[in-house]
Amino acid sequence: MLLIEDLQVKLGNKKILKHLDLEILPGETHILFGPNGSGKTSLLMTIMGYPQYKVTGGKITFKGEDITHMTIDDRARLGIGMSYQRPPSIQGLKTRRIIEACSRDGVDVDALAKQMNFTDFLDRDINVGFSGGEIKRSELLQLMAQDADLALFDEPESGVDLENISLIGNTINALLQRDSGEQPCSAARQCEPAGPCKAVKSCEPTKSSKGETPFKTAGQPGMTRTKIGLIITHTGFILDYVTADKGLVLYNGVIAGKGHPAEIFKQIRKVGYKECARCAA
Amino acid sequence: MRSLDDRAHEAKDKKAAIGPDVDLDAYSLESPTHVDVKNLNLMPEADKEKMAFAGLDISEKERSGTYIQKDAFAIHSGSYQDGLEIIPIRKALKEMDWIQEYYWKLASVDTDKYTAQARLDLQNGYVIRALPGKKITLPAQACLYLDKEGFNQNVHNIIIAEEDSELHIISGCASASHVTRGLHVGISEFYVKKNAKLSFSMIHHWAEDVVVRPRSVGIVEKGGLFLSNYISMKPVKSVQSYPTIYLVGKGAVARSYSLLVGSPGSELDVGGRIYLRAKDTRAEIVSRAITNGGNIISRGDIVAEVPGVRGHLECHGLILNGGVMHAIPELKGMVDGVELSHEAAVGKIAQEEILYLMSRGLTEEEATATIVRGFLSVDIPDLPAPLKAEIDRAVDLSQKEVM
Ligand SMILES: Nc1ncnc2c1ncn2[C@@H]1O[C@H](COP(=O)(O)OP(=O)(O)OP(=O)(O)O)[C@@H](O)[C@H]1O
Ligand SMILES: [Mg+2]
């Protein structure tokens, strides 16, 4: 479980997050909305552990451990992984090498790359000259090798063409153990391929009194879904593929609104972030 | 006309134009006798290990021929391929007249006291030649080995790629593990004839108190290609080297790549100068240098003397743990219609790159080493696969030892 309590974060002299609270239960995936510059990337970078995001108050707990001041590599080893909006290019470092390095137990890089349509890029320097969409696929490939338990996705579908978007969507589902059998939440099923979502069912997880019971993944009897996802999106395309459990609106440094992802997205389109944050809160 | 020996005598005390001066009297010119080795496998394990660091393949499986010199003695010399000649230079000077057309024809004996001494106290060295039209695709290998503490090794090498031939050489220099102090002076003269292709990869693996003064000059004729690689990553006291290449025939190409690591106490003053003297000639000088606390001067100079020529210089330096990195790129265009460019950067590893790799689970040290390894991987076009692999191996081994 990821638990964020009263988180305050500064970047340089600027207060970016102010008293932010967030809880994601095992097996859940949340979608994070918010206007440009509202601090979505900052929140993910803070969870990942980037030192320039100074935590000035509050606490982050993951898998029962207080990780607020844990180093970035310790967090990665604890199971946190991120797909970046703008990752750095590293001259001379082959993509194959970094994918190998992501996996602690060794991984069949060629097989993974084939799945992601990325074989031709393995011998190129990581991110050097990659197009926007290629960066996304490379980032997901690294996350797959890492097999993170908490996967943070910063705009995974922006800049991705219409054909690759289903690949991205399916990959995220696979990463979050949402790819087998029936989905517990059926929002995506009700979307026309090219149109906006229509009616949507609520998909709050069935919780025990303590709220800790993870989803059962249908189609894989006995298998319990534990992976946690947090996905930033502006376009909402990802909602057509990933059946998320909750939508969040980041506004003014706090989670100002919560609700069903497709519903929230619809509201944002209709009345804008500001109004949506107010009405959904 | 004064003889070469006279000129050498006069230059005996002449300091080099650049680099710290070396007191030649502090080293010994007396070499112990080393006997011929027929089977390389029978060499002492310690020697084999050191030579392997400098790129020598003891099994000779992937090699077309081998020359090994220990202190002043050539202990092994042989070619296994038709069209490839490998001869100790003393033997060549005694038995082959044609060598006089090449011996001291590019390098000047009175350049400085090192060239003078190599003239007056020649110990040995190799002549490697690919005969006209012969494509020697497997690399030939050479190793110049310093075995006696405090020894002053003087070698003279002549490399000739005859017309339409192809020749690849890996030339390693190393010192025995018991050697801490020594001086290596190496004269090399390279002749790349019409439409010939020569690649020469030099790997240095010296000890902390060894001083190295190579003096190299090359000439490339019409349509020829000269690819020169230099790798020095092991601690060494001082290297000063400024090879010069003349492109004298239409369409001749020279490219030079260096990978340098300067450890604390090391002083590397390394560079290269290429003269573009004929139409359509091209030059490229690329260097990647890392200082870990050492002192590195990375030079590069391209001189364009005729129109329609192109040259590019690229000089990248990383300061990891203190030390000084001084990049001196120079370009000189002497006529209209030349295209010369350079790119120089000195800095540190970007924190963002380290954090990116750490977020994939690498420790800070692993992330740094991974980025450094990437920095040192330059794609060298036209280098055959076994040589590429050898250079990668040398870089991997040295990086593990040094970092
Ligand atoms: N070094 C810095 N010093 C001060 N402010 C910064 C710094 N870097 C970024 N910011 C600001 O922090 C704010 C939050 O940025 P962040 O990248 O988290 O936004 P975002 O919600 O991800 O936006 P987008 O939707 O455009 O990706 C922005 O206003 C940004 O300009
Ligand atoms: Mg962002």
Side-chain angles (χ1 to χ4, degrees):
Chain A
M1 186 190 63
L2 174 70
L3 182 64
I4 298 179
E5 298 163 283
D6 194 32
L7 185 69
Q8 296 145 54
V9 171
K10 261 177 141 178
L11 183 57
N13 282 327
K14 187 173 173 183
K15 276 189 191 151
I16 306 230
L17 304 176
K18 312 159 189 169
H19 307 288
L20 182 141
D21 294 298
L22 173 65
E23 181 180 17
I24 312 183
L25 298 176
E28 281 189 357
T29 289
H30 291 193
I31 306 286
L32 185 61
F33 301 100
N36 292 143
S38 58
K40 301 179 299 300
T41 297
S42 305
L43 174 59
L44 264 51
M45 298 289 263
T46 307
I47 299 172
M48 191 69 245
Y50 275 74
Q52 63 267 43
Y53 296 87
K54 290 256 167 356
V55 177
T56 54
K59 186 173 166 189
I60 308 175
T61 314
F62 177 60
K63 291 186 177 171
E65 266 191 70
D66 180 350
I67 61 162
T68 319
H69 300 289
M70 198 181 257
T71 61
I72 196 162
D73 51 323
D74 281 343
R75 292 187 209 207
R77 283 189 290 268
L78 192 63
I80 304 180
M82 178 156 173
S83 157
Y84 293 84
Q85 188 175 10
R86 271 190 303 265
S89 307
I90 305 180
Q91 294 284 347
L93 175 57
K94 299 286 173 245
T95 302
R96 174 186 295 281
R97 255 299 274 124
I98 194 170
I99 296 171
E100 280 165 1
C102 282
S103 155
R104 270 153 293 167
D105 325 313
V107 69
D108 185 342
V109 177
D110 292 285
L112 269 191
K114 205 166 162 208
Q115 275 181 50
M116 281 309 279
N117 243 331
F118 217 65
T119 306
D120 294 347
F121 296 83
L122 290 179
D123 292 316
R124 276 178 58 175
D125 293 354
I126 186 71
N127 300 329
V128 177
F130 284 13
S131 75
E134 287 160 3
I135 282 183
K136 304 295 172 186
R137 277 188 281 153
S138 143
E139 287 294 298
L140 288 193
L141 202 47
Q142 292 173 57
L143 268 189
M144 281 161 84
Q146 203 181 338
D147 195 22
D149 296 324
L150 165 57
L152 309 165
F153 302 89
D154 199 345
E155 301 190 27
E157 88 282 42
S158 72
V160 176
D161 66 42
L162 288 170
E163 278 165 24
N164 275 302
I165 200 143
S166 67
L167 178 64
I168 297 274
N170 294 335
T171 305
I172 293 177
N173 276 329
L175 272 164
L176 298 174
Q177 303 167 320
R178 287 169 173 265
D179 54 342
S180 43
E182 210 170 281
Q183 304 291 331
C185 170
S186 53
R189 298 290 154 82
Q190 298 175 358
C191 290
E192 296 302 323
C197 293
K198 289 182 215 138
V200 267
K201 244 188 339 193
S202 161
C203 69
E204 281 296 306
T206 34
K207 291 181 200 165
S208 76
S209 53
K210 295 207 86 185
E212 285 288 320
T213 314
F215 288 110
K216 291 268 189 248
T217 306
Q220 277 181 292
M223 198 209 144
T224 309
R225 184 161 78 210
T226 53
K227 304 271 187 194
I228 298 177
L230 182 56
I231 307 175
I232 298 177
T233 182
H234 286 296
T235 66
F237 286 150
I238 205 70
L239 300 177
D240 297 350
Y241 299 91
V242 180
T243 56
D245 305 296
K246 217 176 254 181
L248 313 166
V249 182
L250 182 57
Y251 200 82
N252 272 337
V254 296
I255 300 296
K258 267 185 215 164
H260 186 277
E263 201 53 47
I264 293 239
F265 184 58
K266 210 166 86 185
Q267 288 297 318
I268 292 170
R269 290 178 61 149
K270 218 197 255 160
V271 298
Y273 290 104
K274 193 173 171 191
E275 285 301 311
C276 179
R278 196 183 300 157
C279 65
Chain B
M1 207 179 95
R2 286 172 312 146
S3 74
L4 286 181
D5 282 348
D6 290 345
R7 281 167 55 199
H9 272 291
E10 279 163 33
K12 257 173 70 177
D13 297 314
K14 184 176 170 187
K15 287 184 184 172
I18 46 178
D21 189 44
V22 181
D23 176 11
L24 297 179
D25 295 334
Y27 301 89
S28 152
L29 285 163
E30 304 279 306
S31 170
T33 306
H34 297 293
V35 294
D36 282 11
V37 175
K38 286 270 160 328
N39 179 349
L40 298 188
N41 249 319
L42 299 180
M43 290 191 295
E45 285 304 320
D47 288 3
K48 286 196 276 187
E49 196 184 310
K50 282 287 178 183
M51 290 179 186
F53 267 110
L56 197 86
D57 178 0
I58 304 292
S59 78
E60 299 186 283
K61 267 196 209 104
E62 295 268 299
R63 301 290 187 261
S64 52
T66 301
Y67 173 88
I68 301 177
Q69 177 171 335
K70 199 167 181 177
D71 295 328
F73 288 84
I75 59 169
H76 186 95
S77 179
S79 153
Y80 316 117
Q81 200 163 327
D82 175 48
L84 172 71
E85 295 181 341
I86 301 184
I87 316 157
I89 197 166
R90 291 187 74 106
K91 183 173 151 84
L93 286 168
K94 236 182 272 156
E95 299 172 11
M96 287 137 193
D97 295 335
W98 55 262
I99 197 71
Q100 294 303 335
E101 291 166 40
Y102 302 96
Y103 186 58
W104 291 112
K105 286 295 182 279
L106 286 177
S108 310
V109 292
D110 51 6
T111 304
D112 51 34
K113 59 187 182 185
Y114 312 104
T115 52
Q117 172 167 276
R119 168 75 198 187
L120 299 173
D121 276 301
L122 174 69
Q123 293 159 358
N124 221 326
Y126 53 78
V127 176
I128 302 184
R129 178 159 85 130
L131 297 179
K134 297 292 181 185
K135 313 275 184 211
I136 316 293
T137 47
L138 274 186
Q141 62 181 356
C143 183
L144 305 168
Y145 196 66
L146 208 55
D147 190 58
K148 184 194 162 187
E149 176 73 3
F151 185 60
N152 172 357
Q153 188 175 50
N154 290 324
V155 301
H156 193 133
N157 308 315
I158 291 178
I159 296 94
I160 306 162
E162 296 284 358
E163 281 188 18
D164 297 306
S165 70
E166 180 174 339
L167 176 60
H168 302 278
I169 297 172
I170 180 160
S171 180
C173 292
S175 45
S177 46
H178 54 259
V179 168
T180 57
R181 245 183 101 253
L183 167 63
H184 170 89
V185 173
I187 312 299
S188 299
E189 297 179 281
F190 298 90
Y191 297 85
V192 181
K193 301 203 182 167
K194 235 169 83 187
N195 297 323
K197 182 171 166 182
L198 169 67
S199 88
F200 184 83
S201 303
M202 181 147 81
I203 301 178
H204 276 181
H205 197 81
W206 299 110
E208 261 155 58
D209 213 2
V210 172
V211 173
V212 188
R213 291 291 179 270
R215 296 291 179 258
S216 307
V217 187
I219 189 164
V220 187
E221 296 177 7
K222 186 176 165 191
L225 167 70
F226 182 18
L227 185 61
S228 164
N229 306 310
Y230 176 56
I231 293 139
S232 175
M233 297 180 60
K234 183 98 195 309
V236 58
K237 186 175 180 193
S238 158
V239 179
Q240 185 271 310
S241 154
Y242 204 180
T244 304
I245 300 170
Y246 299 96
L247 303 182
V248 299
K250 184 168 188 264
V253 176
R255 290 205 301 265
S256 139
Y257 298 82
S258 340
L259 306 177
L260 310 171
V261 174
S263 302
S266 291
E267 185 135 2
L268 303 177
D269 184 333
V270 173
R273 176 177 283 150
I274 301 176
Y275 287 90
L276 303 166
R277 293 208 159 148
K279 208 167 167 259
D280 298 332
T281 52
R282 275 185 291 134
E284 185 182 31
I285 299 177
V286 175
S287 91
R288 294 273 188 282
I290 295 177
T291 169
N292 232 346
N295 216 331
I296 300 185
I297 303 176
S298 173
R299 298 175 197 268
D301 188 11
I302 300 179
V303 184
E305 299 184 352
V306 297
V309 299
R310 272 187 294 146
H312 183 68
L313 239 165
E314 192 182 303
C315 212
H316 287 188
L318 266 187
I319 303 177
L320 276 194
N321 261 321
V324 176
M325 177 80 60
H326 189 174
I328 313 180
E330 291 179 77
L331 301 172
K332 188 171 179 189
M334 301 171 68
V335 286
D336 284 3
V338 300
E339 260 181 76
L340 302 177
S341 57
H342 82 70
E343 190 186 319
V346 173
K348 56 175 183 144
I349 296 182
Q351 189 65 9
E352 194 196 7
E353 295 175 14
I354 294 179
L355 293 171
Y356 182 55
L357 294 183
M358 285 174 75
S359 78
R360 305 300 188 208
L362 277 66
T363 63
E364 188 170 356
E365 292 72 39
E366 289 166 345
T368 307
T370 303
I371 294 165
V372 165
R373 185 64 189 82
F375 178 80
L376 290 172
S377 326
V378 270
D379 284 324
I380 304 177
D382 293 312
L383 196 66
L387 276 177
K388 240 175 219 165
E390 197 58 65
I391 288 178
D392 280 346
R393 203 180 62 90
V395 173
D396 282 339
L397 284 174
S398 309
Q399 191 189 352
K400 273 191 201 108
E401 212 181 329
V402 173
M403 296 291 157

